[in-house]
Amino acid sequence: YNLLQKKISFYTKSKSESFISYWVKGTEKILYSKKSKNTLFHKISVLFLLPEKEYQFLIHSSKNNTSFVSDTLSFVTPSVPEFIPEFTLDNAANYSFDGLIFLRTQMNPGVQLLLDDKANVVWYQNSDTSFSRPFDLVSENSYLSLSRPNLIYEINLDGDTLVQIHTDTNVLHHEVTKDKNNNIIALSYKEKVLDLSSYGGLSYDTIKGDGIVVYDNLGNLVWEWNIFDHEDPLEYKNIIDIKSDWSHGNAIGITPDNNYIISFRSFDQLWKINSNNGEIMWKLGLNGEINMEPNAFFYQQHAIHHIKGDTFLLFDNGHKTYRMTSRALFFSLNKNQFSTIKIVELSKELFSFKQGSVYLFDRNKLLFSSSVNNVIFITDMEGNVLWKLKSDHAYYRAYYLQSK
């Protein structure tokens, strides 16, 4: 449920198209609902409301080029529940933005939040238990949510379930997103029993790796990939030390040609996977197959995603031993030729050795999540912090929802 959502119901004398305009009493900023079309009974949600405010609103209806407007009506929003995380905003630069920041807690009960540039919670949805980590904005009005490790939802911001997929024995983790064909893509766990006695292990020892699963919107498993079909874990000399989490996949990026780029944290590498035959098309990173400039090597990376053309953006976490700074790495790959486009390096106090993300918005602003520090912040392209939000919770990723 969401106490910062108001559902307004009304009848019109004849079938009509209707919407609602609404605003905080005494202010000038007007918001607009979605339209209900060609109906007598209208039930319209108004979203992105501030807590403890009096709102005024108008109902607008039209039919056959004739418009009608109601009298001014009002309602009052309640305070947010106690389980909503706390935030402290540092906005010394007086920076503002029009969109909203989408967050997801890693607590019980799980909560998903949208915040404005003043750190006001203007929307939330919660669950009875803790959420699994993965979620992704897939449109301006809906998101994918891994509610449990084998249960995927697509839900709109009104709270309506659009898609529900039970993945049965496929246990999902770290990533759920969509490809160019509107299929749902996720990372899954895979296991294989091998003889590790010569490495100091057991004759029948279990190694845990990663896979990809692809579902259509009806819940049919249409494609899957297993790392053990393409890579031999016994070629890794330290396999006994990392057998419980050999590859540690943590993100999937979709390429313009609808293939997949997996981020493997344990390897400090990105792999491009052919979405038809499953072949590994290249390995990028430390000990990879593609030449890179020395300063472009990344460590324990997260949140790989496509920007445009042949350009990608990666959150380069850094490493406690090799480089204790985190970075945004913009790079291009054209016919297997790697080029660094831009590196935005953060200050040492924002180092996040695990989890975290970075996303580009408004062409030249970067939204970061520093999970280790419980901080969400925005920088320019030189790494100058413009807006910083401290919380009492950590956030795996932070997405930017563009305002309309």
Side-chain angles (χ1 to χ4, degrees):
Y1 64 93
N2 176 9
L3 296 178
L4 302 180
Q5 173 183 355
K6 182 74 172 178
K7 294 186 177 181
I8 298 172
S9 301
F10 57 94
Y11 285 93
T12 49
K13 290 183 178 180
S14 59
K15 290 184 177 180
S16 64
E17 180 180 274
S18 297
F19 69 92
I20 293 172
S21 62
Y22 54 106
W23 60 95
V24 175
K25 184 178 180 180
T27 66
E28 297 181 354
K29 184 178 180 180
I30 300 176
L31 301 175
Y32 298 90
S33 74
K34 293 189 296 184
K35 293 180 179 179
S36 64
K37 297 182 179 180
N38 195 33
T39 184
L40 292 171
F41 177 69
H42 305 261
K43 189 175 183 180
I44 298 177
S45 289
V46 293
L47 298 170
F48 314 136
L49 303 174
L50 295 170
E52 301 180 64
K53 298 292 184 182
E54 182 178 356
Y55 277 82
Q56 295 182 313
F57 68 97
L58 296 171
I59 298 172
H60 306 257
S61 296
S62 62
K63 181 181 180 181
N64 298 331
N65 297 319
T66 302
S67 297
F68 307 90
V69 180
S70 71
D71 293 335
T72 301
L73 305 168
S74 66
F75 62 86
V76 176
T77 54
S79 58
V80 295
E82 291 184 357
F83 58 74
I84 295 295
E86 294 182 2
F87 298 95
T88 303
L89 178 61
D90 178 359
N91 191 15
N94 200 29
Y95 176 75
S96 64
F97 52 87
D98 291 330
L100 299 170
I101 294 176
F102 192 24
L103 303 175
R104 182 183 179 101
T105 66
Q106 302 177 61
M107 68 179 190
N108 189 351
V111 185
Q112 295 167 139
L113 309 157
L114 284 169
L115 291 87
D116 65 14
D117 62 342
K118 304 295 191 297
N120 296 307
V121 175
V122 298
W123 174 97
Y124 68 92
Q125 288 177 352
N126 74 307
S127 70
D128 296 330
T129 60
S130 58
F131 281 122
S132 293
R133 186 177 296 168
F135 71 116
D136 191 14
L137 283 170
V138 291
S139 78
E140 63 189 23
N141 190 49
S142 68
Y143 63 93
L144 283 175
S145 170
L146 191 60
S147 178
R148 297 197 301 268
N150 61 353
L151 186 60
I152 302 170
Y153 284 104
E154 183 176 353
I155 302 172
N156 66 22
L157 296 180
D158 290 336
D160 303 320
T161 297
L162 307 179
V163 176
Q164 177 180 333
I165 298 173
H166 199 290
T167 65
D168 299 321
T169 58
N170 279 319
V171 178
L172 310 184
H173 67 97
H174 279 86
E175 182 72 276
V176 59
T177 189
K178 283 192 174 185
D179 68 6
K180 305 291 184 182
N181 298 322
N182 205 39
N183 289 320
I184 295 172
I185 318 298
L187 284 169
S188 63
Y189 287 123
K190 300 295 182 184
E191 293 184 344
K192 189 171 184 177
V193 176
L194 291 172
D195 181 0
L196 296 184
S197 57
S198 61
Y199 297 83
L202 304 175
S203 299
Y204 295 91
D205 225 331
T206 300
I207 300 174
K208 189 175 186 178
D210 292 289
I212 303 171
V213 289
V214 181
Y215 293 89
D216 64 20
N217 282 329
L218 298 177
N220 299 306
L221 179 64
V222 296
W223 193 84
E224 59 182 324
W225 180 86
N226 187 333
I227 191 173
F228 291 104
D229 295 336
H230 302 273
E231 189 81 354
D232 182 2
L234 299 183
E235 293 182 357
Y236 291 73
K237 295 180 180 180
N238 63 337
I239 188 60
I240 194 66
D241 299 320
I242 59 174
K243 66 177 184 177
S244 63
D245 193 10
W246 167 42
S247 47
H248 195 113
N250 61 25
I252 302 178
I254 311 301
T255 65
D257 54 1
N258 204 41
N259 291 307
Y260 310 135
I261 298 181
I262 305 184
S263 166
F264 288 117
R265 184 177 185 267
S266 294
F267 306 153
D268 298 313
Q269 289 182 351
L270 303 173
W271 294 7
K272 184 176 182 179
I273 308 299
N274 188 299
S275 62
N276 293 313
N277 58 29
E279 291 182 357
I280 301 171
M281 301 174 71
W282 46 249
K283 297 178 182 179
L284 177 70
L286 289 176
N287 304 310
E289 302 165 345
I290 295 177
N291 291 328
M292 298 176 63
E293 304 97 326
N295 70 330
F297 284 114
F298 43 82
Y299 301 99
Q300 301 181 323
Q301 70 290 336
H302 286 77
I304 178 65
H305 60 282
H306 176 244
I307 299 294
K308 63 178 181 179
D310 57 7
T311 301
F312 295 85
L313 176 55
L314 177 71
F315 183 61
D316 175 4
N317 288 72
H319 196 281
K320 288 183 176 180
T321 301
Y322 307 122
R323 175 174 37 81
M324 290 186 65
T325 54
S326 299
R327 317 185 300 182
L329 173 62
F330 290 85
F331 66 91
S332 67
L333 264 172
N334 189 355
K335 297 180 180 179
N336 292 357
Q337 295 295 312
F338 175 91
S339 297
T340 302
I341 296 174
K342 179 76 173 178
I343 294 175
V344 181
E345 189 152 358
L346 302 174
S347 59
K348 289 184 178 181
E349 61 265 25
L350 294 173
F351 172 52
S352 189
F353 66 89
K354 65 178 182 178
Q355 303 186 26
S357 64
V358 61
Y359 291 93
L360 178 71
F361 72 98
D362 286 354
R363 294 185 301 234
N364 60 1
K365 301 297 185 297
L366 295 170
L367 172 64
F368 287 90
S369 173
S370 181
S371 307
V372 172
N373 300 295
N374 293 8
V375 171
I376 308 298
F377 58 98
I378 293 170
T379 75
D380 60 21
M381 294 298 285
E382 303 308 316
N384 299 306
V385 176
L386 305 175
W387 186 93
K388 186 177 181 182
L389 190 65
K390 184 76 175 178
S391 178
D392 57 347
H393 287 81
Y395 302 94
Y396 179 58
R397 288 183 183 171
Y399 295 104
Y400 188 82
L401 180 62
Q402 189 67 49
S403 173
K404 295 187 68 178

